[in-house]
Amino acid sequence: MARPRRRFASAALALLLAAAVGMFGAVSPASADAYYPIAGSGSTWSANAISQWISDAKTFGLPVSYTSNGSSAGRLDFANKLNDFGVSEIPYQGTDPLTGNADNSHGRPFAYMPIVAGGTSFMYHLTVGGQLLRDLRLSGQTITKIFTGQITDWSDDAITADNNGRKLPKKKIVPVVRSDGSGTSAQFSLWMSKQYKDIWCPFFDAKVAPGKPCGLTSNYPTFSGDTVAQGSSVQMAGYISAEYAEGAIGYVEYSYARSKNFPVAKMLNASGYFVEPTDYNVAVALTQAQINQQKDSDLYLTQVLDGVYSNQDPRTYPLSSYSYMILPTSLDQRITADKGRSLGAFAHYFLCQGQRKAGPLGYSPLPLNLVQAGFDQVAKVPGAEQQQLNPSGCDNPTFDPADPGSNRLAKTAPMPPACDHTGQGPCAGGGTGDGSAGNTGTGTGQGTGQGGNAGQGTGSDGNSGQQGQNGTGTGAVDPVTGQTVDPATGEAVDPATGQVIGSTRKGGSGAVGSATELAALRSESTDTTLGVLAAVELVLVLVVPAFVARQIGRRRGRRAAEGNGE
């Protein structure tokens, strides 16, 4: 009996191995075509966009992980070779003005690359008559005074003036600031140091870096007993939106307010209009950004935003900017050619197709000139595949085939309504998530046809037809999320192209991938092994029972024949 059992076991094992190899090939380490896992860290301002791109990249077998620990930490991680790429809203500063510590790459060769645009917004929590106020307007001077402790109550005369005489309840203002080294803090404080030096510089000298030249800070101080400090954009938005945070206001990238369906203040621009940081208004603002074009400079592609702050276009959101990826440009003990290939593929994706996800997430896509410059920067990464930009294949909402040198999003951006001009309004509604897409009015708007400005619905001031978002297709504005959606399916669509974006549904806030993809840490060889094990399990379930049944049937047949004397 032992010999038939051994033959049966051998046959079963051979069958299992043959089936496994037939389905998946021989068990082996990762093939030459597999993407090697890469990891980055840094900005929380950019994290929602990066998370979406990570989720997208995972679908084509590219494992990327990202830790949103703040811009300062991301720059330091890159310098210490603790990541494969960093992300920051500001370049290396040389020396941190607050701590005096070195803020440079420690000799690690690198290149900056803009990755996404957006607006630093002022998310707030204020109820009037039991309802969340959604149409707050604030001038830059008022904002600066709030975040330097000079305005402490929502009933302050300066806030009343910003809102055209409407008096808000007497309620304590709770400023919410970042407790970590933050690029958002840096962008916000840079703007104050440029636009409101007489308010900011005394505060800087007293609270930030006494005796140091007035400028930006990545480390915002808690300047009064009412100030609340939070460690990331997620924590900032979480605190402000909490039930107990009545009176709070903080600075976050617009994406975080949208994801919470919470309002942001309409900010006064140089043309006298109060506007929100929509993808259109940011695109308009950044047409006046100066980009360093010296290719041999460490500051190549970094931004100077003075022209943005003072942009006279009525559609401008003044606190608009770009975020950077810090790319390695030489091999070292951290970056290999395999990792460089993965990083290049990831960058080529988000510089091109990934940009169409920016608007629905609360960001603004890069224009053609920066996407082209980004492709040039990726070419410096060792191991990265060399690719030429094909604008027609990018499907970027800013690209205009009929006028390649222009920004289509900026050209088609709707004008703000008259009720959002100083001395008018404020517009009823017209805030984040109330059905107006951040432009005007109280009803639901529809943007149809080229340009999409033929909206429907009327604001309280009688200005009608401006809720519709720009686009070449037909789209309705979701009254909950403020996203443009397909009226037939409820799916979120790109307002510029009319195409479905991701898998967001009506009532959702947009598809956002995990900020840290733990599954991306698995190696390809592990995935292959798991695949083979799954195949073996399938064989065990489907093949072996039938094989065993046949063997048992044959043995029973032989015994029956022997019993009958055959």
Side-chain angles (χ1 to χ4, degrees), residues 168-214:
L168 298 180
K170 186 171 180 57
K171 196 170 293 183
K172 181 175 64 177
I173 294 175
V174 181
V176 186
V177 302
R178 287 285 290 274
S179 62
D180 56 340
S182 160
T184 319
S185 293
Q187 289 288 16
F188 177 33
S189 59
L190 176 66
W191 168 77
M192 289 189 288
S193 73
K194 297 277 190 176
Q195 296 296 106
Y196 300 97
K197 186 175 293 187
D198 57 333
I199 302 172
W200 173 250
C201 287
F203 178 82
F204 184 92
D205 186 61
K207 299 289 185 180
V208 180
K212 301 291 180 64
C214 177

Side-chain angles (χ1 to χ4, degrees), residues 508-549:
S509 58
V512 180
S514 169
T516 304
E517 296 287 338
L518 296 180
L521 299 179
R522 296 187 315 193
S523 67
E524 288 293 326
S525 59
T526 302
D527 289 340
T528 305
T529 302
L530 291 175
V532 172
L533 290 175
V536 170
E537 182 179 9
L538 182 66
V539 171
L540 287 171
V541 172
L542 299 178
V543 179
V544 170
F547 183 89
V548 172

Side-chain angles (χ1 to χ4, degrees), residues 73-111:
R75 295 195 305 272
L76 184 60
D77 286 346
F78 185 87
N80 291 332
K81 298 183 177 67
L82 297 177
N83 61 27
D84 301 312
F85 63 89
V87 181
S88 175
E89 275 67 71
I90 60 172
Y92 283 111
Q93 298 298 294
T95 301
D96 187 285
L98 180 63
T99 65
N101 295 331
D103 182 15
N104 55 55
S105 72
H106 295 179
R108 188 181 187 189
F110 69 93

